[in-house]
Amino acid sequence: MTEPFTQAAGEKKVLTADDDASGRLDAWIAAALSGQISRNRIQSLIRDGVVNVNGSPVHEAKHKIAPGDRVEITVPEAEEAEPQAEDIPLDFLFEDDDLIVIAKPAGLVVHPGAGNWSGTLVNALLYHCGSTLSGIGGVKRPGIVHRLDKNTSGVMVVAKNDFAHRHLSDQFADHGRTGPLQRAYLALVWGRPAQLKGTIDAPLGRAGADRTKRAVRTGDTADTRHAVTHFQVRERYGETDGSGALASLVECRLETGRTHQIRVHMEHIGHPLIGDPEYSSAFKTKVNILPEPAGTAVKQLHRQALHAYLLQIEHPRDGRTLRFEAPIPEDMSKIITAFSTL
């Protein structure tokens, strides 16, 4: 009927009906494209007048296809929905004409996306800053230079203009190799790493068909990315007679910045983050054998125990080094206090 559908948005695709073609136009197009565009989407395109049959636009999805019909379809570029300003409280650590530094709470999504079109950090920043945010990040990511997972708390910097955005983006891309950039996290992990200090050098890529989950990859695939995490054990909890610790507080510093990097790397060495729903499922039963009050404190944690406590940057305008720290949030602090009594 036709070759596989490989059209980029904005390009025209030409299909020719076979000798036995029949039925509704929308159903025929969906079959011709092997389901690579949903039927609902095709119906919308027909209504929008971007589907032509034999050189003329057709606006009815029920239009009957006939053998030999020449169908032209153009998929428009997707338009990003413009986020709306929302009065969401933020914890500001610093602000001037070039940048904003905040302590992001756990549960706050950084920018709008599927399932999170409102209530994000971007919505809050638009309310606070109006139209002054940098536009480099696009409609959905104004001012965003880096990001933290929804359920990771900690320090974030946001650019207020394009000059600051470019300068800060260059710093994050360099990962502190030639400048003062530092990013450090505190993580509560199960057990105690064999080494009190070490480096995890393990490439990351998609975990199978799951678009959001990551895994350590040994093969050279298109989505595999170099990833390096440096860690140091700060505290050990519940350690008696050399039998190993129940949990540890670990400081992690990023040499690269990949999606879920710390979470996957700590799981890779056998010490996943406490509370991590994606990467510590094998340790869920450990919660039930924790002594009190540690057991209750862990059960009340509804996220991975990861906090970006430190961010150091070079100010894009005057070059001075700025260092920001965010205190450990209450949910993690309760666990640390409870573990400290073991």
Side-chain angles (χ1 to χ4, degrees):
M1 184 177 294
T2 184
E3 68 273 12
F5 184 67
T6 57
Q7 174 190 13
E11 295 180 359
K12 183 179 293 184
K13 182 73 175 178
V14 179
L15 309 171
T16 303
D18 290 343
D19 292 340
D20 59 351
S22 63
R24 290 171 55 113
L25 176 62
D26 59 341
W28 181 85
I29 293 175
L33 299 181
S34 303
Q36 295 179 54
I37 297 183
S38 72
R39 191 165 170 180
N40 285 340
R41 176 63 169 148
I42 292 168
Q43 291 171 352
S44 176
L45 294 173
I46 292 172
R47 288 193 299 269
D48 290 342
V50 297
V51 177
N52 291 350
V53 177
N54 299 324
S56 300
V58 174
H59 298 279
E60 293 288 338
K62 62 183 180 181
H63 175 89
K64 298 300 183 182
I65 197 76
D69 278 350
R70 177 185 172 90
V71 179
E72 299 175 356
I73 179 171
T74 302
V75 180
E77 296 283 353
E79 294 183 2
E80 292 184 313
E82 186 169 346
Q84 300 300 306
E86 297 179 42
D87 186 5
I88 301 170
L90 294 175
D91 183 3
F92 292 95
L93 303 179
F94 177 85
E95 181 177 7
D96 65 9
D97 292 339
D98 293 302
L99 52 87
I100 297 173
V101 181
I102 68 160
K104 186 187 89 68
L108 181 64
V109 176
V110 171
H111 56 72
N116 296 287
W117 297 110
S118 63
T120 72
L121 173 60
V122 165
N123 297 107
L125 291 169
L126 288 171
Y127 182 89
H128 178 76
C129 301
S131 60
T132 63
L133 288 179
S134 167
I136 289 180
V139 173
K140 292 191 295 186
R141 298 174 176 83
I144 301 302
V145 179
H146 67 122
R147 61 186 295 272
L148 298 174
D149 291 342
K150 173 183 177 180
N151 288 319
T152 297
S153 55
V155 188
M156 280 191 65
V157 61
V158 176
K160 294 179 72 173
N161 54 62
D162 290 352
F163 172 80
H165 200 294
R166 291 189 183 92
H167 197 287
L168 291 168
S169 295
D170 288 344
Q171 291 185 55
F172 279 90
D174 183 63
H175 299 293
R177 297 183 185 93
T178 60
L181 180 79
Q182 292 186 37
R183 302 169 69 185
Y185 296 71
L186 291 174
L188 284 165
V189 305
W190 290 112
R192 190 200 79 177
Q195 297 176 298
L196 297 183
K197 185 176 182 180
T199 296
I200 306 168
D201 186 344
L204 302 180
R206 279 187 184 175
D210 192 327
R211 296 186 62 184
T212 60
K213 196 172 181 180
R214 296 296 186 267
V216 170
R217 304 290 291 271
T218 55
D220 185 15
T221 59
D223 69 313
T224 300
R225 298 290 182 269
H226 179 59
V228 178
T229 302
H230 306 284
F231 71 88
Q232 182 171 1
V233 177
R234 280 196 174 189
E235 301 286 346
R236 291 165 288 178
Y237 307 111
E239 188 173 41
T240 56
D241 302 326
S243 59
L246 282 174
S248 302
L249 178 65
V250 178
E251 178 179 312
C252 297
R253 292 183 177 249
L254 299 179
E255 186 173 314
T256 57
R258 309 303 181 195
T259 300
H260 298 179
Q261 179 173 317
I262 292 173
R263 299 164 63 187
V264 179
H265 272 175
M266 295 310 297
E267 187 271 341
H268 178 63
I269 65 171
H271 302 282
L273 272 60
I274 292 173
D276 195 324
E278 281 84 26
Y279 304 105
S280 67
S281 57
F283 285 73
K284 284 184 178 179
T285 56
K286 293 199 68 166
V287 179
N288 299 322
I289 61 173
L290 286 174
E292 293 298 340
T296 297
V298 171
K299 289 176 182 177
Q300 291 175 345
L301 181 72
H302 302 295
R303 60 154 178 139
Q304 65 269 7
L306 183 63
H307 176 65
Y309 86 93
L310 168 68
L311 177 63
Q312 181 173 288
I313 59 172
E314 178 182 282
H315 193 284
R317 190 71 59 177
D318 56 31
R320 60 192 160 125
T321 297
L322 302 177
R323 184 183 177 92
F324 304 98
E325 294 190 22
I328 297 175
E330 185 178 5
D331 56 356
M332 285 181 59
S333 182
K334 284 182 178 179
I335 295 176
I336 292 172
T337 300
F339 275 147
S340 297
T341 63
L342 299 179

